[in-house]
Amino acid sequence: VTAVAPDTAAVTRERLYRMMRVYKETSLLRTGVRLGVFDALAAGPAGADEVAARVGADPRGTRLLLNALAALRLVRADGDRYALADGAAELLVTGSPAYYGGMVDVVASDYEWDALRDLEGAVRRGGSVADQDAETPGYAYWETFARSVGPVTVPTANLLTDLLAGSVPDRPLKVLDLAAGHGIYGFTVAERFPGSTVTCVDWPNVLDITTTHARRRGLADRVSTVPGDMFTADLGGPYDVVLVTNVVHHFSEERSTELLARAAGALAPGGRVGVVGFVAGDEGPELDPEPHLFSILMLVWTSAGEVHTEAAYRRMTAGAGLEIEASRQVPGLPFHVLTARRAG
Ligand SMILES: C[S@@+](CC[C@H](N)C(=O)[O-])C[C@H]1O[C@@H](n2cnc3c(N)ncnc32)[C@H](O)[C@@H]1O
């Protein structure tokens, strides 16, 4: 993630024009992925008619799309034949271990775009004006998120598990995963500590996907679910590890403190809370743009969420009766991973 370089920071027509039209690039990438254009070129170069037949689309539409994707350097145009650009086979062809194309259904989704369409309304109100948003129980977006995002969380889940491994005993653990989504965080801990059990809390529509993932990983008999609101559901326990990953930014500082206090309350003696959070550093928006851009999604999509600062994380954990034990930045990403124990 890079800030706008100082020598390009002046407001120019070129920069404004790029900002005005960049959503067209988003649409092109999303369309290429959804139509399966990159898969259609995986076996080798092909003409537009051939690609059109493979993806079941109109030849003229496909030719214009392929030329535009070549303009964006996602494919290469050589006369009237097209081939994958460097890196596309790895990142945009389904079935590749590093496949990243599925993220278009999240980051370039209609859900996010529709929410952002009325940013002006959200700014006027100071929160979401949408009929349905990230806080709506059973929101369908979270199903897509749970299906699509799992693989990209693996390095962060490994880092959190490494941190936890430094403080919890090396034996089967009881793990609670609040707002579990795809379930990767809890499953990663369970696999590192064989024999562990994981209780996943989320809305019922999302938990259907969580349990499918558990089954695929051979964890079905060690994963149970608590469908419902993590702020009010009976969490059971106590647990050796309670996970709160990527949800603190959905709520105000006060509400997140309440959530962390619930996590602290579910801990067994000697247990640890593991948190993954999007954190805004002290550098300010010009040098650290991502958290401030992401907070806009929280503005349009939640009543009071935003990316909290490091100082706010310290206040929230302390307010929840927790003491931060270890904290690391995820390499290359504006996420922090931290472990905490009950204070005192
Ligand atoms: C950003 S995802 C995080 C998923 C996963 N923990 C991760 O780190 O990728 C947020 C998840 O929180 C769930 N969620 C939001 N509010 C909730 C609530 N009040 N009770 C239970 N789950 C909730 C959503 O359904 C969604 O699966």
Side-chain angles (χ1 to χ4, degrees):
V1 174
T2 47
V4 177
D7 58 343
T8 58
V11 177
T12 60
R13 280 198 179 81
E14 290 72 21
R15 277 187 60 216
L16 295 178
Y17 178 63
R18 191 179 147 69
M19 285 181 199
M20 288 176 200
R21 63 132 228 228
V22 73
Y23 75 95
K24 292 168 186 160
E25 297 186 15
T26 308
S27 177
L28 280 165
L29 170 61
R30 186 171 96 153
T31 303
V33 169
R34 289 194 176 163
L35 275 179
V37 165
F38 304 103
D39 287 351
L41 292 171
D49 288 0
E50 232 176 312
V51 174
R54 284 184 201 162
V55 304
D58 173 75
R60 187 182 91 91
T62 305
R63 173 174 55 82
L64 295 177
L65 174 66
L66 283 164
N67 283 336
L69 291 173
L72 296 182
R73 309 293 172 102
L74 294 172
V75 303
R76 281 187 291 114
D78 184 9
D80 57 3
R81 314 255 313 150
Y82 301 88
L84 293 175
D86 286 351
E90 193 193 355
L91 296 172
L92 292 173
V93 172
T94 55
S96 155
Y99 181 61
Y100 197 63
M103 286 292 281
V104 296
D105 292 330
V106 176
V107 184
S109 65
D110 286 345
Y111 296 108
E112 295 200 10
W113 175 241
D114 287 346
L116 281 161
R117 218 184 285 275
D118 199 5
L119 173 57
E120 190 178 324
V123 171
R124 288 183 193 284
R125 179 183 286 183
S128 165
V129 292
D131 296 337
Q132 289 216 322
D133 61 32
E135 291 180 84
T136 306
Y139 189 35
Y141 171 85
W142 293 124
E143 295 170 37
T144 309
F145 185 93
R147 273 196 207 98
S148 313
V149 163
V152 304
T153 67
V154 169
T156 314
N158 284 332
L159 182 59
L160 178 59
T161 306
D162 289 346
L163 276 198
L164 287 166
S167 38
V168 294
D170 192 9
R171 59 165 168 75
L173 301 172
K174 279 188 74 175
V175 179
L176 174 67
D177 191 352
L178 293 173
H182 40 71
I184 305 295
Y185 285 95
F187 302 159
T188 305
V189 177
E191 284 163 352
R192 185 77 65 90
F193 296 87
S196 296
T197 56
V198 189
T199 303
C200 296
V201 185
D202 210 302
W203 301 115
N205 58 324
V206 178
L207 288 176
D208 286 346
I209 295 152
T210 323
T211 47
T212 304
H213 290 172
R215 214 176 306 124
R216 279 196 204 133
R217 291 172 83 124
L219 291 169
D221 56 343
R222 291 199 275 125
V223 171
S224 58
T225 57
V226 175
D229 186 354
M230 63 186 165
F231 285 93
T232 54
D234 179 356
L235 302 176
Y239 297 93
D240 301 302
V241 170
V242 180
L243 301 173
V244 185
T245 63
N246 296 307
V247 279
V248 169
H249 52 254
H250 285 216
F251 307 107
S252 66
E253 190 173 323
E254 294 69 28
R255 189 95 166 124
S256 291
T257 305
E258 192 185 326
L259 181 61
L260 291 169
R262 286 212 96 205
L267 280 182
R272 296 293 187 274
V273 174
V275 180
V276 176
F278 212 144
V279 177
D282 299 330
E283 300 95 328
E286 285 157 332
L287 292 176
D288 184 25
E290 277 309 303
H292 301 278
L293 295 172
F294 192 81
S295 280
I296 288 301
L297 187 61
M298 295 298 101
L299 174 65
V300 295
W301 224 13
T302 66
S303 57
E306 65 182 273
V307 177
H308 299 290
T309 60
E310 267 183 67
Y313 271 86
R314 281 194 294 274
R315 286 194 297 273
M316 291 186 282
T317 42
L322 291 165
E323 196 168 78
I324 295 177
E325 188 175 39
S327 171
R328 301 270 186 287
Q329 167 134 23
V330 182
L333 294 173
F335 293 101
H336 281 221
V337 165
L338 64 89
T339 58
R341 62 181 164 218
R342 273 218 196 103

